[in-house]
Structures are given as structure tokens and as C-alpha cells.
Amino acid sequence: MIKIENLTYVYPSMDDEDGKKALDNLSIDINKGEFVAILGHNGSGKSTLGKLLNAQIFPSSGDIWIDDLNSKEEEKLWDIRKKCSMVFQNPDNQMVATSVEEEVAFGPENLRVENPELRDRVDAALKLVNMTDYKDRNPSNLSGGQKQRVSIAGVVAMLSDYIIFDEPTAMLDPKGRKDVIKLVEELNKKYKKTIIYITHYMEEAVLADRVIVLDKGKKALEGNAREVFSNVTKMKELGLSVPQVTELAYELKEAGINIGDLPLNIEEFLEIL
Ligand code: ADP
Ligand code: MG
């Protein structure tokens, strides 16, 4: 499991600003196999948390435990990054190779995985993300959604148990977004990967087992999607929205119509109507 204990992070350039912290005494436990969505308005600390979990940066104080590894142990850096890998928002920034196949092999090669295992892992990962037919193509010629699927194949080929996604669909069209979120759900349900999913799409957060809302580097709300999104006023105060159907039902409830539990998707809303 992942244990985040009293985690504080201050960027070096923040030292001059009065007491400003990117993350402020944050504690979160994430169980193996869980799908956790992280929400929060711009600057609330989401990406900083992702980078800390992926050991790109290190806690100013507090600890992150990834199973039995502490993220501060420099000699274990690659073990940590392998166990807990990250998919970023902009797929173009993470493409390094000139073919899809090499791109997927890049991570495991850095971990010194050799053939024939390397080949097997790359083939299996490409199959999983449905990109086998593109293996010889140049990643720069793919659509955004396809690039994100190649990035996901890369972390799958590293056999990471924990995968952090930092707004992976933010730059995608609706089709690409749908493909990526479907793949994330499959990685969690079928392949038992633990997912930490940073997003600003409420409709995506609804799919998670647990939703955590950050505000100024602290936990502002936490619970399952229904618990969190029923706090419509609080979510708005935090500069966030709730799924459209939830908001509509909330307005009807405020107007005196007996709705019961607020719906999270269109099917539930139709049922209530
Ligand atoms: P989010 O991903 O939720 O938008 P971030 O984690 O990127 O938020 O940022 C949290 C806080 O840290 C913000 O106040 C932001 O301005 C600051 N910050 C982020 N990156 C840096 C950086 N490289 N140097 C200095 N401050 C940063
Ligand atoms: Mg961010």
C-alpha cells in the first residue's frame, strides 16, 4: 500500500513567500487495488503530490511509503519509480523514441530488462492498449489519445503496481478521452493496478472508489463519489463543479422537490425522474 504521512512540500522558490506550501501536512493511505481520484482547483497541489509519489521530488518533511520503500531512499530511486510510475498530461512531452515499440520498451530497458522478456512485455503491453498494429509507427504521427495509450503501455511494460495519472485526458478529444478512461478502468478492475487519478473532469472522478479533494495543499474533502459530490456548495466554494446531473438534481432539491440521494450519472437521474 501507499502511506503518505504528514507530507509537506515547499518549492525552493517558495521560501521567500510567507509560509506558502505546495503540500501542507497531508496524510493519505491508499490500499493496493484501489482507484483513487484526486481533485482540486489549479495550484491546489495535485501535480506536486504526483511528482512526490513518483520520486521526482522529495518531501520537505513527512514521509511517503510505497510498500516497504521510503521515497527518500536515494539508492532505491529506480525501484520506487518502477513500482509507482506516472502518466502525464501532455503526451508529447513524454515521447522519446522514433517508433511506438521502442517507446514502450524505453522504461523496461532502463530497468535493464533484456530480451526475450523485454519483447514479451512490450508485445503484451501493446496488445493491452490495443496499439499492436501501430508498433512500427512514429509516435509523433499518432493522435493524442493514441499517444496516451502508448504512454500507458510503457508503464504497463514496467510492471508497475501503482500508476499515477496527472490529467491524462485534458488534451484529448472526446473519443481519445473515452478510450483512455476505459483503459484506466480496465487496468484497475482486470489487472488489479492501483490507480491514483488526477483529473478535473467530474464525470471521470465518479468512476473512482474514493475521491480526495485538495485545497491549498490540504485535504478538503474525502469519501466515495456520492459522499463528495453531494457537498455541492462546498465543492463550489473550493472552485470546483460537480457532475452536471448532480447539480441539476441539487437545484431541484433546493427548489423543494423530493429527490433523495443525489444522482451521479444520467441513468440514476432518469430513475429518479
Ligand atoms: P495543481 O497540479 O493542483 O494545479 P501544483 O502541484 O502544480 O498544483 O502546484 C501547487 C503549488 O505549487 C502552486 O502554488 C504552484 O504555483 C506551486 N508550484 C508548482 N510548481 C512549482 C515550481 N516548479 N516552482 C515553484 N512553485 C511551484
Ligand atoms: Mg497539475
Side-chain angles (χ1 to χ4, degrees):
M1 69 180 292
I2 295 181
K3 261 186 130 34
I4 299 167
E5 294 174 337
N6 307 108
L7 174 64
T8 294
Y9 187 77
V10 181
Y11 284 97
S13 65
M14 280 177 161
D15 277 348
D16 333 328
E17 300 172 53
D18 247 6
K20 192 157 191 255
K21 296 172 176 133
L23 292 174
D24 190 357
N25 202 27
L26 185 70
S27 295
I28 301 173
D29 284 352
I30 296 170
N31 290 315
K32 259 221 158 110
E34 229 187 332
F35 179 173
V36 178
I38 310 280
L39 300 177
H41 63 81
N42 278 344
S44 57
K46 306 180 299 297
S47 294
T48 304
L49 177 62
K51 287 188 275 183
L52 283 157
L53 287 168
N54 188 229
Q56 294 169 41
I57 53 177
F58 304 96
S60 305
S61 63
D63 289 286
I64 299 175
W65 292 93
I66 308 210
D67 296 333
D68 53 353
L69 298 171
N70 189 303
S71 79
K72 285 179 195 161
E73 289 173 73
E74 265 180 53
E75 66 281 14
K76 300 278 175 63
L77 194 64
W78 287 102
D79 294 328
I80 294 160
R81 290 189 186 162
K82 171 200 170 282
K83 233 182 215 294
C84 193
S85 55
M86 188 152 172
V87 175
F88 300 87
Q89 179 181 106
N90 188 342
D92 292 320
N93 293 350
Q94 44 196 332
M95 297 285 141
V96 291
T98 53
S99 83
V100 164
E101 199 169 41
E102 286 167 34
E103 185 63 52
V104 177
F106 184 76
E109 268 177 339
N110 274 337
L111 300 169
R112 298 177 201 283
V113 177
E114 287 173 11
N115 278 324
E117 188 185 342
L118 180 62
R119 169 124 309 279
D120 290 346
R121 285 200 201 181
V122 170
D123 288 347
L126 282 173
K127 191 155 173 245
L128 197 153
V129 303
N130 204 14
M131 286 295 286
T132 306
D133 293 347
Y134 294 80
K135 70 180 167 55
D136 300 321
R137 296 273 286 270
N138 188 324
S140 58
N141 298 331
L142 303 177
S143 72
Q146 289 170 332
K147 284 179 190 163
Q148 281 304 51
R149 278 151 57 200
V150 171
S151 305
I152 295 172
V155 301
V156 167
M158 283 165 66
L159 308 183
S160 302
D161 291 329
Y162 304 94
I163 309 176
I164 307 149
F165 291 88
D166 191 354
E167 307 202 25
T169 60
M171 306 186 74
L172 307 184
D173 62 15
K175 159 85 167 71
R177 194 175 297 163
K178 218 172 180 176
D179 288 346
V180 166
I181 189 73
K182 202 174 123 214
L183 191 53
V184 171
E185 281 199 280
E186 186 176 307
L187 286 174
N188 176 247
K189 302 264 152 23
K190 189 165 163 198
Y191 298 95
K192 310 292 173 212
K193 303 285 184 193
T194 307
I195 307 289
I196 297 131
Y197 193 87
I198 299 168
T199 184
H200 64 263
Y201 291 112
M202 303 304 150
E203 282 73 13
E204 294 180 350
V206 158
L207 303 170
D209 301 317
R210 181 153 54 116
V211 177
I212 295 172
V213 183
L214 295 184
D215 183 47
K216 298 190 188 83
K218 291 182 198 278
K219 221 190 299 179
L221 280 174
E222 179 176 21
N224 64 36
R226 201 177 304 282
E227 285 161 355
V228 167
F229 291 127
S230 58
N231 295 291
V232 179
T233 334
K234 174 87 178 160
M235 287 293 278
K236 287 191 168 169
E237 273 170 32
L238 294 168
L240 298 170
S241 61
V242 301
Q244 246 175 3
V245 284
T246 312
E247 175 149 19
L248 183 53
Y250 171 78
E251 295 294 341
L252 291 172
K253 202 170 179 171
E254 289 290 290
I257 296 170
N258 184 10
I259 296 271
D261 280 348
L262 293 179
L264 292 177
N265 54 49
I266 293 174
E267 289 71 29
E268 288 181 10
F269 193 40
L270 285 175
E271 188 71 23
I272 292 169
L273 286 179

